[in-house]
Amino acid sequence: MVLGQAHPSIVFPQFTGENPRLWKTLCEQYFQMFAIHNSFWVPMACLNFSGTASVWLQSVQKKLAQLDWESFSALLCTRFGRDRHQLLIRQFYTVRQSTTVAAYIEQFELIINHLSSYSDSIHPYYYLTRFVEGLRPDIRAVVLVQRPPDLDTACSLALLQEEVIDGAFGAAPPPPAPRPPDAPPRAGTPLPLPPPPPRVAPASVATDRRGTDAARVDVAKIKTLRDYRRAWGLCFKCGERWGHDHVCPTSVQLHVVEELLELFGVDTIYTNDDQSPWATEEETMMAISRSTLSGGVSAKAFQLRAWIQGKEVLMLVDSGSSTSFINHSLAQRLEGVQPLPRVYKVRVADGGELSCSSSVPGCRWHS
């Protein structure tokens, strides 16, 4: 600037202590634009200090006459740029979307613009990745799927996703205000129908289902037995070796009965070596199952129709009984009933006890 020349029409940039590197760049552009001599750079810059920067300038006023522009700007950046780079890096890693996407974009761009004044070697993907990580989780997921190539595209996708989530394309009408329970219904509003009575499944359904399942299991067991005997060349009815001239015997062999008991899940009958609950009592000589007393059929018993002394009876074959028993009413109609030398105790499977005082020796039956 030559003496007597008019002052430039553009206002010189003011320095308040914020961003000294940017202010230094703007000053140098101003000096070059209006061809100001280097000797005037420091005096013109000092005339445009304000706030805390003017207080600092007063403290270094004695040194200004000995400083050129480079020394003055270095001293300025050291004072007002102290720890600013580290502060910007911390803000860069901690910034996240807390309100709208637009506010987050503005805050993020402000930080990266300040960082760019310190280093130009940061890859754009670094800024892109950090921006996406700072988005709200529901917006970040959509932006990640789109795989934006640059920061501008990621900003556009985030703004668009925010509009979709906030219902900018037609928000649903708000729900009606809750009405008190005793308030009368509005005009034209149909009265609510009472809820239908709860359906109670009949009790027989579960029983029938259990019976059906049990029948299926029995059919499968019979099929297994038939296939086994066919594979070994045995008769399905009696279990003997089968041939063209084979005839089933009139009496059932013991091993056939045991095979049937094992097939239908009946436990092995106790032998003399087994330790049963009643074996320790000397007076208890016999045992009878609960099914025998109730007349029912359990998993360990099956019924046969038989004849004793010409009288038709219903016989229960049960592995839970240690002796063959008949009831008192049938014993009164039979011949050969003899009293026992003493009364014996009979243990029932549920823990009770009965008394037996007579027997029918040599009693034969057939089915």
Side-chain angles (χ1 to χ4, degrees):
M1 181 175 180
V2 183
L3 294 176
Q5 183 179 353
H7 192 275
S9 59
I10 300 178
V11 179
F12 194 88
Q14 294 286 323
F15 180 68
T16 60
E18 295 292 332
N19 202 352
R21 289 179 176 271
L22 178 61
W23 179 80
K24 175 179 177 293
T25 303
L26 294 177
C27 290
E28 292 175 352
Q29 292 178 356
Y30 187 93
F31 296 150
Q32 294 174 4
M33 182 182 300
F34 296 101
I36 298 175
H37 195 268
N38 296 345
S39 60
F40 294 102
W41 286 15
V42 175
M44 287 189 64
C46 293
L47 294 176
N48 293 276
F49 275 54
S50 61
T52 57
S54 61
V55 177
W56 171 82
L57 182 63
Q58 185 179 1
S59 65
V60 297
Q61 190 70 36
K62 298 179 181 179
K63 301 179 182 179
L64 295 180
Q66 304 174 359
L67 298 178
D68 56 1
W69 174 250
E70 293 298 332
S71 302
F72 174 75
S73 59
L75 182 63
L76 182 72
C77 292
T78 302
R79 168 61 183 83
F80 293 97
R82 183 172 50 197
D83 299 332
R84 182 173 177 80
H85 192 189
Q86 296 181 3
L87 176 62
L88 290 173
I89 293 176
R90 288 195 296 268
Q91 293 177 353
F92 177 75
Y93 280 106
T94 57
V95 62
R96 293 187 179 278
Q97 179 187 353
S98 57
T99 55
T100 62
V101 175
Y104 172 63
I105 293 175
E106 182 179 359
Q107 185 180 9
F108 188 82
E109 288 182 345
L110 180 62
I111 295 175
I112 64 175
N113 289 334
H114 286 314
L115 284 175
S116 299
S117 63
Y118 289 93
S119 177
D120 297 334
S121 60
I122 300 178
H123 199 279
Y125 283 169
Y126 191 75
Y127 293 143
L128 171 63
T129 305
R130 185 64 196 89
F131 172 79
V132 175
E133 289 298 324
L135 288 170
R136 209 169 60 194
D138 52 344
I139 300 178
R140 180 174 64 245
V142 177
V143 175
L144 279 174
V145 172
Q146 299 296 328
R147 300 183 65 182
D150 49 37
L151 182 59
D152 293 336
T153 307
C155 294
S156 301
L157 291 174
L159 290 171
L160 181 61
Q161 180 62 19
E162 184 183 40
E163 293 180 4
V164 174
I165 294 177
D166 295 343
F169 298 111
R179 296 172 54 84
D182 54 349
R186 297 187 180 93
T189 303
L191 295 177
L193 297 177
R199 298 180 59 185
V200 180
S204 60
V205 174
T207 304
D208 295 341
R209 185 176 299 175
R210 289 194 298 268
T212 304
D213 295 341
R216 291 177 179 175
V217 173
D218 293 342
V219 171
K221 291 181 178 180
I222 294 175
K223 183 177 181 300
T224 303
L225 178 61
R226 180 170 57 248
D227 296 341
Y228 171 79
R229 289 185 173 177
R230 179 181 299 173
W232 289 91
L234 303 179
C235 177
F236 173 69
K237 295 182 179 180
C238 63
E240 297 295 336
R241 180 66 62 179
W242 185 86
H244 293 286
D245 54 350
H246 170 73
V247 178
C248 295
T250 56
S251 60
V252 181
Q253 301 295 327
L254 179 60
H255 70 88
V256 178
V257 178
E258 292 177 350
E259 189 176 11
L260 290 174
L261 293 177
E262 182 179 359
L263 172 66
F264 289 99
V266 181
D267 296 340
T268 306
I269 303 176
Y270 286 108
T271 61
N272 294 334
D273 297 334
D274 296 334
Q275 297 295 329
S276 60
W278 53 80
T280 57
E281 300 185 7
E282 296 179 357
E283 296 182 357
T284 302
M285 305 297 295
M286 295 169 287
I288 189 171
S289 67
R290 187 186 304 177
S291 301
T292 306
L293 299 178
S294 62
V297 179
S298 65
K300 299 182 179 181
F302 58 92
Q303 293 179 347
L304 297 176
R305 188 169 300 276
W307 283 265
I308 301 177
Q309 296 182 5
K311 298 176 177 58
E312 185 178 3
V313 296
L314 187 62
M315 181 178 296
L316 181 69
V317 180
D318 192 348
S319 64
S321 301
S322 62
T323 310
S324 299
F325 296 92
I326 57 176
N327 57 19
H328 183 70
S329 59
L330 177 61
Q332 292 179 349
R333 296 183 293 162
L334 298 180
E335 298 178 356
V337 178
Q338 299 178 3
L340 294 172
R342 66 187 186 90
V343 178
Y344 293 95
K345 294 181 180 180
V346 180
R347 174 65 59 86
V348 187
D350 59 358
E353 289 185 352
L354 299 177
S355 299
C356 181
S357 58
S358 58
S359 66
V360 186
C363 182
R364 297 184 178 274
W365 63 273
H366 65 277
S367 60

